[in-house]
Amino acid sequence: MPIPRLANLIDGRLQAPRDDRWLDVFEPATGQVFAHCPDASAEDVADAVAAAQRAAPGWATTPAERRAGLLHKLATLVQERFEDFVALESRDSGKPLAQARSLDIPRAIANLRYFAAQVVAWSSESHAMETGAINYTLRQPLGVAGCISPWNLPLYLFTWKIAPALAAGNAVVAKPSETTPCTAALLGELSIEAGFPPGVLNIVQGRGPSVGQAIVEHPAVKAVSFTGSTRTGAQIAAAAAPHFKKVSLELGGKNPAVVFEDADLSDANLDTIVRSGFANQGEICLCGSRLLVQRSIYGAFRERYLARVKALRVGDPHEPGSDLGALVSREHFDKVMDCIATARGEGGAVLCGGEAVHVPGRCAEGWFVAPTVIEGLGPDALTNQHEIFGPVVSLIPFEDEDEALAIANGTGYGLAASVWTRDLSRAHRIGERLDFGIVWINCWLLRDLRTPFGGAKQSGLGREGGVEALRFFTEPKNICIRY
Ligand code: NAD
């Protein structure tokens, strides 16, 4: 059977890349190529930007209700094809079907609906002056916005960017990860059916240094919303700076989960702590890869925790019993295995996992790694400083609150922290002192789309989510009238 080819969406039409160059798209669970994705070029990006420029003025003056209506229509079309999206997302990224069904695709639909609803309800400020003048703020769309997303939550993060950009009245040139391009391609097809005017949403598929870079550098692209690694984020910030573009950067993390001796360690909470390390094979930027546990409960906690981690099943993403699927690519699998070797090399004890998992049958060539727990490394060890982005958690004991804070804050990252305690005063105190954009107390990944989302330090720049996203994708203009 011929391998299907994905297309770019440019000017409302599905198109092959100008150079007719293609990339292999792998199914991580089998290691086999199952699709080809455009290996687009700067010329394709230029076509997309030109289409977006033509569409932008009309879209900007389209009433918010109409823009919202199209986003809702797109959400409905995704909902109608829900199981197709679930299957495609799982196949493309290696994640269990159950994960795509419970998190990725519902959240993609929620993103489209949320920003559609929000833009209709949105209002801007006015400031009256006692001296007889009034100021009001116009929030005008920027024109053409660039959106670049990663592979770990493909459609979830793709829609997290394009939905507010479109809702706010911008035309968009978007690039999903070349590692997981499939669901964004299908969304592009549905956007035609939904009735978006040509050029309002353009999707250019391909590699970062070619397509991504061309989007960032194009003079007509006024803002770039990027989610991905800290290294790429730095390149994007540097490329955008000479053009004074707005950038929003959602980057890597080395998140702590901090368990105090007074924590409610019910089975349900313990399950959440385990999930916070291993959900989506640990390939969520918000996963807690450093598990800090107060020394007075360390031994007892470790025993219960390990029993649960060892019970996690790694297997075919199609199997309902699989808790963890495959890592997204051969390259990423090698990186995670290297990180485990580094942990061993710097003296870490592997308490469980630590090796690749062979899944027999159709998944014999897949990229599976056992959930791995490491102990015995100081906070400054490489394993506790560098993002691994896989199913690897490092246990670190601490004495008291001050030490917990010093360890938790002691990396270059500042995306998300979770804290487990019954002490309300401590929860507020530590929440205030943690250098992170997001702090969860007695929960993890509990997301309210109205809240500001993003990281401190090397985890990012700016905030998305809620009204912050609409602010990012618009230019405020103050108009002052004297009367
Ligand atoms: P990545 O930086 O390699 O790639 C992300 C996207 O950027 C891809 O679409 C890629 O093609 C593109 N890209 C690469 N080089 C580029 C360049 N020079 N110019 C423009 N675009 C370029 O990241 P990844 O490996 O796909 O994703 C994993 C990383 O993403 C992890 O570090 C993870 O923590 C981070 N992440 C962060 C968040 C967050 O919200 N903070 C969410 C998910 C993932």
Side-chain angles (χ1 to χ4, degrees), residues 84-103:
D84 292 340
F85 273 98
V86 165
L88 204 52
E89 200 70 301
S90 164
R91 188 170 194 196
D92 206 8
S93 64
K95 68 183 69 202
L97 282 173
Q99 150 95 30
R101 194 175 284 126
S102 62
L103 180 70

Side-chain angles (χ1 to χ4, degrees), residues 43-59:
E43 284 72 43
D44 296 299
V45 171
D47 289 346
V49 175
Q53 281 183 287
R54 288 192 295 276
W59 186 243

Side-chain angles (χ1 to χ4, degrees), residues 16-106:
R18 272 178 180 252
D19 296 344
D20 199 28
R21 286 209 313 260
W22 302 86
L23 299 168
D24 288 337
V25 183
F26 290 89
E27 178 175 5
T30 63
Q32 305 302 310
V33 175
F34 77 102
H36 288 134
C37 153
D39 183 9
S41 63
E43 284 72 43
D44 296 299
V45 171
D47 289 346
V49 175
Q53 281 183 287
R54 288 192 295 276
W59 186 243
T61 51
T62 298
E65 286 81 2
R66 166 93 184 123
R67 298 199 300 261
L70 288 171
L71 285 165
H72 279 302
K73 176 81 188 19
L74 184 57
T76 301
L77 293 174
V78 176
Q79 186 74 56
E80 285 169 10
R81 301 275 305 268
F82 187 82
E83 282 302 322
D84 292 340
F85 273 98
V86 165
L88 204 52
E89 200 70 301
S90 164
R91 188 170 194 196
D92 206 8
S93 64
K95 68 183 69 202
L97 282 173
Q99 150 95 30
R101 194 175 284 126
S102 62
L103 180 70
D104 292 67
I105 306 306

Side-chain angles (χ1 to χ4, degrees), residues 350-435:
V350 175
L351 301 180
C352 70
E355 73 264 317
V357 175
H358 176 71
V359 177
R362 80 172 197 106
C363 295
E365 303 295 320
W367 304 309
F368 297 88
V369 174
T372 299
V373 179
I374 291 166
E375 158 183 85
L377 291 173
D380 295 333
L382 290 176
T383 304
N384 289 328
Q385 289 290 322
H386 292 170
E387 185 182 49
I388 298 173
F389 214 53
V392 182
V393 169
S394 174
L395 284 175
I396 308 173
F398 67 87
E399 291 297 337
D400 56 20
E401 203 174 303
D402 282 342
E403 193 187 9
L405 266 168
I407 297 172
N409 286 338
T411 76
Y413 294 105
L415 186 53
S418 57
V419 178
W420 297 85
T421 179
R422 279 198 182 96
D423 181 337
L424 191 59
S425 301
R426 191 209 307 273
H428 287 296
R429 205 165 48 231
I430 200 164
E432 219 174 277
R433 294 172 67 197
L434 282 164
D435 293 337

